[in-house]
Amino acid sequence: VPVDDRQEELKKAKECRQALQNKGIDDAHRQWLARLVTTRRLVVVPTSNALGYFRDQREELRIDPNRDFPYDLDDPTACMQTIAGRTLNEIFREHMFQ
């Protein structure tokens, strides 16, 4: 990183720190907030049931996508039958939500 760019970054960081202090956020809270932001991943899903939204229907194939997950089922084939359910499952698997 060129020296001029580094100095500009430091200047912006100082201005940001000052703006946070002006809003009542001290260094301890700023550090906590910085750690929170750098150790998290934000995944935006505008609508999990896009097909249902498009069709103005909650159910897909007579199945509610909000109930199409493998929780406490006797029959393991009775889940992930909807596109919305499978899509959300892949998002969870891809990003390893816990």
Side-chain angles (χ1 to χ4, degrees):
V1 177
V3 175
D4 290 341
D5 290 346
R6 181 75 176 141
Q7 288 175 346
E8 186 65 28
E9 288 176 13
L10 290 173
K11 181 181 174 186
K12 287 180 182 180
K14 188 175 182 179
E15 290 171 359
C16 181
R17 239 181 246 115
Q18 186 61 47
L20 289 172
Q21 285 177 348
N22 292 344
K23 293 182 180 197
I25 300 174
D26 60 15
D27 282 341
H29 286 99
R30 180 189 55 78
Q31 290 171 353
W32 173 82
L33 184 60
R35 182 175 180 276
L36 180 71
V37 170
T38 59
T39 60
R40 302 296 186 270
R41 178 181 298 170
L42 180 65
V43 178
V44 177
V45 180
T47 178
S48 58
N49 186 5
L51 182 62
Y53 180 80
F54 176 75
R55 293 180 178 172
D56 197 22
Q57 295 176 328
R58 180 180 178 114
E59 293 183 344
E60 180 183 326
L61 304 173
R62 296 186 305 254
I63 300 170
D64 183 351
N66 293 319
R67 309 290 181 264
D68 193 20
F69 292 93
Y71 175 76
D72 200 25
L73 293 176
D74 294 329
D75 181 10
T77 63
C79 65
M80 299 297 157
Q81 297 177 358
T82 63
I83 294 171
R86 291 191 306 268
T87 300
L88 286 177
N89 182 56
E90 289 304 311
I91 290 172
F92 275 75
R93 287 179 50 179
E94 177 73 22
H95 296 287
M96 298 298 290
F97 291 123
Q98 298 178 4

